[in-house]
């Protein structure tokens, strides 16, 4: 369904968790919030639910336009999957393509980093949260359900997730190997950020740019920055991932990067510290 963008629509982001003014445990929710905030778009948040979500995934976004004559709300159009939501909003002119000005090599690097986080790290973190810290994860993500129902739904979710992790390959490794993989990813991300921060510092010294630095060393964020910030912020607030929390905090450049983005784009949110 096409979106009529003759007037700026109202956006409602369904995050899977109740409340506002704080980060949630899903990196994909914070990724989408970062993209909206990078563009200066306003939105409101609601909890929503997996049972109501298109594709059965969180987040999803409701886009309600105004009738060009009566100015009455029309819709909403429901969009699902964080990547597809971003693509649709770009197509309709609500978001700019952050990677449009990148070289082919930089676009490939951006895509590779996003894939590393969303197709590798995500599953390692899911293992940590659902397999190693199940009794912390279950009551948080199923808080809207009565406790007896949590027990049943939690068990079903656990079985489904562990089957997925085994089929995907993560659970074919030992816990020690998975921890090593996570460390390797964050170590290399930190190295990228150390170099980006160094370049940014040189530019600031010559009067160019501001304090925020971006993972690929560009003057503006790329798509990878929204994804990376989502994984850092969600990792730091998720108490079902204590190993990841400790790991992220052990790399100062990662924390510095995320804090600067928080201060610029999420000043209304409670920080993880």
């Amino acid at each position: 369904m096409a979106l009529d963008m003759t007037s700026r629509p109202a956006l409602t982001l369904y995050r899977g968790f109740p409340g506002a003014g704080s980060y949630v445990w899903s990196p994909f929710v914070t990724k989408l919030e970062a993209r909206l905030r990078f563009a200066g778009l306003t939105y409101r948040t609601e909890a929503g639910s997996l049972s109501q979500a298109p594709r059965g995934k969180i987040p999803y976004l409701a886009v309600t336009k105004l009738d060009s004559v009566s100015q009455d709300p029309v819709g909403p159009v429901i969009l699902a999957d964080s990547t597809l939501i971003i693509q649709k909003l770009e197509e309709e002119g609500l978001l700019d393509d952050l990677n449009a000005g990148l070289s082919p090599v930089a676009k490939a690097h951006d895509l590779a980093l996003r894939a590393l986080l969303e197709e590798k790290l995500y599953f390692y973190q899911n293992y940590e949260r659902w397999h190693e810290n199940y009794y912390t994860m279950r009551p948080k993500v199923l808080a809207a359900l009565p406790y007896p129902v949590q027990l049943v739904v939690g068990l079903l979710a656990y079985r489904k997730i562990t089957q997925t992790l085994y089929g995907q390959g993560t659970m074919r490794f030992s816990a020690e190997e998975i921890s090593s993989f996570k460390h390797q990813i964050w170590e290399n991300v930190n190295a990228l950020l150390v170099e980006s921060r160094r370049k940014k510092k040189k530019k600031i010294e010559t009067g160019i740019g501001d304090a925020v630095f971006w993972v690929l060393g560009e003057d503006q964020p790329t798509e990878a920055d929204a994804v990376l910030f989502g994984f850092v912020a969600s990792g730091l607030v998720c108490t079902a991932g204590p190993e990841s929390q400790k790991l992220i905090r052990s790399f100062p450049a990662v924390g510095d990067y995320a804090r600067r983005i928080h201060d610029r784009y999420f000043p209304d949110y409670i920080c993880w510290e």
Side-chain angles (χ1 to χ4, degrees):
M1 181 176 181
L3 305 179
D4 181 0
M5 296 300 177
T6 55
S7 60
R8 178 163 288 191
L11 305 177
T12 302
L13 176 62
Y14 294 91
R15 309 194 306 166
F17 295 85
S22 61
Y23 298 103
V24 299
W25 288 11
S26 167
F28 301 103
V29 169
T30 305
K31 162 193 169 181
L32 184 53
E33 290 196 74
R35 277 299 272 116
L36 296 175
R37 290 181 180 232
F38 289 169
L41 294 180
T42 58
Y43 60 94
R44 67 185 185 93
T45 61
E46 297 286 349
S49 69
L50 286 174
S51 62
Q52 299 172 343
R55 303 176 187 267
K57 298 171 67 175
I58 296 292
Y60 57 102
L61 186 74
V63 183
T64 305
K65 66 182 182 68
L66 298 178
D67 184 270
S68 58
V69 177
S70 68
Q71 293 298 295
D72 292 330
V74 179
V77 175
I78 306 298
L79 306 176
D81 183 90
S82 61
T83 297
L84 295 180
I85 292 170
I86 291 168
Q87 290 178 356
K88 184 63 176 179
L89 296 182
E90 287 177 350
E91 291 171 4
E92 301 295 345
L94 271 180
L95 294 179
D96 292 331
D97 180 356
L98 295 182
N99 291 358
L102 297 181
S103 69
V105 171
K107 286 182 179 180
H109 288 168
D110 182 273
L111 180 61
L113 181 54
R114 284 184 281 146
L116 176 67
L117 298 172
E118 295 185 321
E119 305 298 336
K120 284 287 187 180
L121 183 61
Y122 170 71
F123 292 104
Y124 302 151
Q125 288 187 340
N126 248 12
Y127 172 84
E128 179 183 358
R129 295 177 181 189
W130 279 101
H131 185 72
E132 297 183 320
N133 297 281
Y134 171 75
Y135 292 104
T136 304
M137 189 69 173
R138 183 189 66 194
K140 177 69 174 181
V141 299
L142 301 179
L145 301 177
Y147 179 72
V149 181
Q150 286 185 25
L151 299 180
V152 177
V153 175
L155 181 59
L156 294 174
Y158 174 82
R159 287 177 176 175
K160 182 177 179 179
I161 289 168
T162 52
Q163 287 173 355
T164 298
L165 290 174
Y166 188 82
Q168 177 267 343
T170 293
M171 289 195 69
R172 298 171 191 261
F173 298 105
S174 68
E176 292 76 17
E177 289 168 333
I178 293 171
S179 294
S180 176
F181 296 154
K182 287 188 295 187
H183 187 278
Q184 185 179 29
I185 290 172
W186 284 115
E187 183 177 45
N188 282 278
V189 167
N190 186 71
L192 283 175
L193 293 173
V194 167
E195 178 61 17
S196 296
R197 184 172 58 181
R198 183 190 66 80
K199 291 179 179 178
K200 174 61 74 170
K201 184 178 180 180
K202 290 185 65 175
K203 289 182 178 180
I204 292 175
E205 289 172 351
T206 59
I208 301 174
D210 55 31
V212 180
F213 59 96
W214 306 106
V215 67
L216 295 185
E218 300 290 333
D219 292 331
Q220 300 295 327
T222 68
E223 298 293 346
D225 286 292
V227 175
L228 177 55
F229 180 73
F231 273 84
V232 177
S234 65
L236 288 172
V237 300
C238 179
T239 55
E243 182 181 63
S244 288
Q245 281 186 331
K246 183 178 179 180
L247 185 56
I248 294 169
R249 292 182 188 278
S250 73
F251 293 109
V254 175
D256 188 20
Y257 163 85
R259 184 57 188 258
R260 295 188 194 204
I261 293 176
H262 166 84
D263 290 346
R264 164 74 74 81
Y265 296 100
F266 292 83
D268 56 318
Y269 270 29
I270 299 170
C271 196
W272 44 83
E273 296 177 351

